[in-house]
Amino acid sequence: MPTIHLCDYVAGNIRSLVNAIEKLGWTVEWIQDPDDIYKVERLIIPGVGHYGHCMSKLADGGFLEPISWYLKTGKPFMGICVGLQVLFDGSAETPGLPGFGVIPGTLRKFDSSSKSVPHIGWNNANTTQESNLEGKSLVGLRPDSKYYYVHSYAIPYRASELENHGYSVATAAYGDEEFIGAIAKGNIFATQFHPEKSGVAGLRVLQAFLTSSWETELSPSAKEASMGSLTGLTRRIIACLDVRTNDEGDLVVTKGDQYDVREKDGKDAAGKVRNLGKPVDIAKKYYEQGADEITFLNITSFRNSPVADAPMLEVLRRTSETVFVPLTVGGGIRDTVDPDGTLIPALDVATMYFKSGADKISIGSDAVLAVEEYYKSGKVPSGKTAIETIAAAYGRQAVVISVDPKRVYVSSPKDSKFHTIKTAYPGPKGEEYCWYQVTIKGGREARMLDVVELATTAEQLGAGEILLNCIDKDGTNSGFDHELVRQVKQAVTIPVIASSGAGNPSHFLDVFEKTTTDAALGAGMFHRGEFTVQEVKDSLASKGLSVRKWEGNL
């Protein structure tokens, strides 16, 4: 098999990229010695996270000079995400730290005044008319496809500026900001999106680069899509798998009713952990139904096994071999002591998950404890929490905070020191107000902290996304808690995922139309086979909402 070389400088989740390349029939070899760059014929620099962290790692590893040399050789080169960003002059993310300067321009942070930042989700990469590629595909890009982006900084697009210097450019729009999604000139090709996480559309881009198919004719169906049309982000549908060991010791997907995962009745099943199937198989099924992301929530954390042997690591490794959309994993992402007494920092735990195939990690109870410590210290960040250390190394877009709040009813806002709302659903004694109390340990322990305090402080510490569960709604199939979603969305600028309560496709339509949620998550309705992910997307599309289509096999 032909060989492609990847630069190894600790770049987050690169297992999925390796799996994607191997699926296309290529062998991956890692470059750990900078001098080896002088010998290779085709090079990829992947990247996840922080521009400054990436450039520092490349510098510390001695890669800067060899890569600069390689870029001038005419040999095929591809940069992915931060691998694109470092090709430019610099970034506002790390002022004063120059990039390779191959392409003119400086990255700017997205404006968060009218939209969530980071920019997370599926968006266009449409070739500009100024690139003069009418009817042709630039390195496998198609105007009718969507690609997965996750970033806070981007190169603003200015018409003709780069094209006049010989570059071919593809762009996307986020709110009122148009930015560069992909760029090519000569031997150099780079994408802001992650092709390895962009399903079949992304595999097509990787295949075009690997085979040097820089320009090809678009298919008739693709030509029908307007080359200049930027439809923006799609509505993101996430499938969630709660994973734990059952009573027989097998790793299974389960689902609770208000967090209770044991069967209530049945002669043989009563009291046993609800078993809905094997996690790897179910994840693949949802991927093929068109799920935009897969989230694994490890609800037992495998406390008695060494972290390096945790069963979830193998689940991620196997899932990432066949599932080419983002994978999030939660549970056990904390400072951990192995059975032999070895202390393993949360950052090292997260690194194991990233290397096994995770794109994002989800922090639950530990995030609550970190926020409580923040308030106790007089609102002074310690720099040592899991949120802070992981965000510093991999970027805030890699850190999700999973929140488990429940309603507490009060007669008046004066009866509570917490952030209250007037509710359309009065309490058991007719109370017209409520606040959302944060819990830990799977909802078993309530804390004197409300959801706004948790979400806003977690954002300050470095979180990039909020997974907003709701204990009151869990397992009810009665729809999402719109009041909760609206309260948190108004309080933070990072994306929010609505979770808990989905029972049919109309619930997804309601939460997208009645709140400004960035994504919506389903679990039980998918596990029980009542509805598929595709049926949810078809329902949204029928009402005029933009969704990513499933493109089948490559």
Side-chain angles (χ1 to χ4, degrees), residues 46 53-54 78 111 162 170 179 204 263 366 389 450 487 522 538:
H53 180 76
C54 175
M78 183 175 185
D111 178 9
L162 288 169
F179 65 94
R204 188 185 300 117
E263 298 284 7
D366 235 41
T389 57
D450 70 45
Q487 185 183 35
D538 288 344

Side-chain angles (χ1 to χ4, degrees), residues 510-532:
D510 286 345
V511 78
F512 282 124
E513 289 190 333
K514 296 177 182 178
T515 78
T516 57
T517 189
D518 299 276
L521 178 150
M525 60 181 278
F526 299 143
H527 302 335
R528 294 186 295 269
E530 296 164 353
F531 298 95
T532 67

Side-chain angles (χ1 to χ4, degrees), residues 35-352:
D35 289 340
D36 288 342
I37 289 180
Y38 296 107
K39 308 170 188 176
V40 306
E41 297 299 321
R42 195 176 295 267
L43 178 65
I44 294 179
I45 294 186
V48 176
H50 194 280
Y51 167 89
H53 180 76
C54 175
M55 287 301 298
S56 297
K57 284 290 186 180
L58 290 173
D60 293 344
F63 287 106
L64 295 183
E65 184 175 331
I67 291 174
S68 294
W69 173 87
Y70 184 93
L71 291 169
K72 300 172 184 176
T73 63
K75 297 177 182 179
F77 171 90
M78 183 175 185
I80 296 174
C81 193
V82 179
L84 170 144
Q85 296 182 1
V86 297
L87 296 177
F88 287 83
D89 294 324
S91 172
E93 189 169 19
T94 313
L97 180 63
F100 285 100
V102 175
I103 309 173
T106 300
L107 288 104
R108 303 293 182 214
K109 189 174 184 179
F110 284 116
D111 178 9
S112 62
S113 63
S114 60
K115 57 184 179 293
S116 300
V117 177
H119 168 235
I120 299 178
W122 298 77
N123 210 326
N124 299 100
N126 285 7
T127 308
T128 63
Q129 293 180 351
E130 290 83 354
S131 296
N132 295 318
L133 289 172
E134 190 71 31
K136 293 183 179 180
S137 168
L138 172 65
V139 198
L141 296 172
R142 289 173 43 160
D144 56 343
S145 292
K146 293 286 187 175
Y147 305 91
Y148 181 74
Y149 293 84
V150 52
H151 59 122
S152 299
Y153 292 79
I155 291 289
Y157 175 69
R158 298 180 180 86
S160 302
E161 187 174 90
L162 288 169
E163 292 93 337
N164 287 342
H165 288 86
Y167 291 94
S168 296
V169 177
T171 68
Y174 186 36
D176 60 358
E177 297 182 83
E178 187 174 357
F179 65 94
I180 293 176
I183 189 167
K185 181 181 180 181
N187 62 308
I188 297 173
F189 173 59
T191 65
Q192 180 61 70
F193 62 85
H194 286 271
E196 76 280 12
K197 308 308 301 186
S198 297
V200 171
L203 292 177
R204 188 185 300 117
V205 171
L206 282 173
Q207 185 178 59
F209 169 74
L210 293 171
T211 58
S212 296
S213 302
W214 301 101
E215 294 180 16
T216 56
E217 286 293 321
L218 286 169
S219 66
S221 60
K223 287 182 179 179
E224 292 178 3
S226 171
M227 294 292 288
S229 175
L230 299 176
T231 55
L233 276 176
T234 64
R235 305 295 179 145
R236 205 165 19 125
I237 306 300
I238 301 172
C240 181
L241 286 66
D242 290 340
V243 179
R244 65 161 291 164
T245 50
N246 64 8
D247 299 295
E248 288 73 38
D250 299 320
L251 199 62
V252 300
V253 174
T254 189
K255 186 69 184 78
D257 295 321
Q258 295 185 311
Y259 291 27
D260 183 356
V261 299
R262 294 188 176 274
E263 298 284 7
K264 299 297 188 298
D265 50 33
K267 180 179 179 181
D268 299 320
K272 291 187 175 182
V273 172
R274 189 172 290 117
N275 183 350
L276 298 172
K278 297 179 179 180
V280 176
D281 296 339
I282 293 178
K284 183 180 180 183
K285 178 177 71 174
Y286 294 153
Y287 166 64
E288 293 175 345
Q289 289 179 4
D292 296 316
E293 293 182 29
I294 305 291
T295 293
F296 292 103
L297 295 182
N298 166 12
I299 60 176
T300 49
S301 299
F302 309 107
R303 301 173 184 89
N304 298 320
S305 67
V307 173
D309 297 331
M312 276 307 303
L313 296 176
E314 181 62 20
V315 168
L316 286 167
R317 283 190 283 265
R318 291 178 54 201
T319 301
S320 65
E321 291 173 358
T322 57
V323 174
F324 298 103
V325 295
L327 304 176
T328 300
V329 63
I333 314 293
R334 62 173 74 93
D335 292 344
T336 301
V337 178
D338 260 357
D340 66 358
T342 302
L343 174 64
I344 303 177
L347 176 58
D348 292 350
V349 176
T351 297
M352 292 182 198

Side-chain angles (χ1 to χ4, degrees), residues 357-536:
D359 300 282
K360 296 184 279 187
I361 56 90
S362 176
I363 304 173
S365 297
D366 235 41
V368 177
L369 301 178
V371 169
E372 289 177 341
E373 285 300 316
Y374 173 81
Y375 281 107
K376 288 179 183 177
S377 69
K379 299 184 179 180
V380 178
S382 70
K384 299 178 181 179
T385 67
I387 300 173
E388 294 167 279
T389 57
I390 297 169
Y394 294 102
R396 69 164 55 236
Q397 77 289 330
V399 181
V400 181
I401 302 304
S402 181
V403 189
D404 297 323
K406 63 179 181 180
R407 284 188 174 220
V408 177
Y409 286 98
V410 292
S411 298
S412 165
K414 297 179 181 179
D415 297 334
S416 171
K417 66 177 182 178
F418 300 103
H419 294 85
T420 60
I421 61 169
K422 185 174 178 62
T423 177
Y425 309 97
K429 297 180 181 179
E431 300 97 331
E432 296 184 350
Y433 296 87
C434 72
W435 62 280
Y436 289 92
Q437 184 173 25
V438 169
T439 68
I440 61 174
K441 300 179 181 178
R444 297 188 300 275
E445 183 178 314
R447 311 294 286 194
M448 294 309 291
L449 192 71
D450 70 45
V451 70
V452 172
E453 293 170 322
L454 176 61
T456 54
T457 305
E459 179 179 12
Q460 292 173 31
L461 292 176
E465 197 166 26
I466 301 293
L467 173 54
L468 188 57
N469 308 299
C470 178
I471 293 176
D472 308 286
K473 284 287 190 175
D474 184 64
T476 64
N477 301 318
S478 60
F480 300 95
D481 189 332
H482 298 168
E483 293 178 339
L484 171 62
V485 174
R486 282 194 287 265
Q487 185 183 35
V488 174
K489 278 293 297 180
Q490 290 170 3
V492 299
T493 63
I494 58 179
V496 172
I497 302 167
S499 175
S500 303
N504 61 63
S506 69
H507 292 151
F508 288 84
L509 178 65
D510 286 345
V511 78
F512 282 124
E513 289 190 333
K514 296 177 182 178
T515 78
T516 57
T517 189
D518 299 276
L521 178 150
M525 60 181 278
F526 299 143
H527 302 335
R528 294 186 295 269
E530 296 164 353
F531 298 95
T532 67
V533 177
Q534 189 59 57
E535 286 173 327
V536 170

